[in-house]
């Protein structure tokens, strides 16, 4: 289910530095291609994490799961 902004569990999982949690959400049907009402992709949410190995692993996993690299938000932000 999505919240009022259109974010789903996978958006929240991508925004924290926990690859194992992201894997659980994907395993239970999280859609790596989902975008919010304002066009934020799951991958864009992941890119707001601090730089480091955890972020790299999450971005890589989302890309492997089909998250697009070329989706821009309504504000022009993209991964």
């Amino acid at each position: 289910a999505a919240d009022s902004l259109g974010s789903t569990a996978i958006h929240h999982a991508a925004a924290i530095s926990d690859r194992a949690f992201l894997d659980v959400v994907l395993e239970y049907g999280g859609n790596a291609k989902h975008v919010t009402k304002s066009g934020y992709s799951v991958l864009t949410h992941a890119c707001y994490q601090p730089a480091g190995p955890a972020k790299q692993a999450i971005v890589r996993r989302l890309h492997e799961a089909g998250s697009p690299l070329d989706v821009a938000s309504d504000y022009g932000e993209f991964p």
Side-chain angles (χ1 to χ4, degrees):
D3 65 17
S4 63
L5 299 174
S7 294
T8 62
I10 195 165
H11 285 91
H12 298 289
I16 60 173
S17 296
D18 189 339
R19 165 72 192 266
F21 181 58
L22 176 63
D23 286 339
V24 169
V25 172
L26 286 167
E27 179 182 338
Y28 284 92
N31 181 1
K33 297 177 184 176
H34 186 76
V35 295
T36 65
K37 291 178 181 178
S38 56
Y40 283 97
S41 70
V42 177
L43 199 51
T44 301
H45 275 255
C47 288
Y48 282 108
Q49 292 182 36
K55 177 180 181 175
Q56 291 172 349
I58 288 170
V59 168
R60 189 173 298 114
R61 178 68 180 103
L62 287 169
H63 181 61
E64 290 168 356
S67 192
L69 298 172
D70 59 352
V71 174
S73 74
D74 293 351
Y75 306 102
E77 298 166 295
F78 57 93

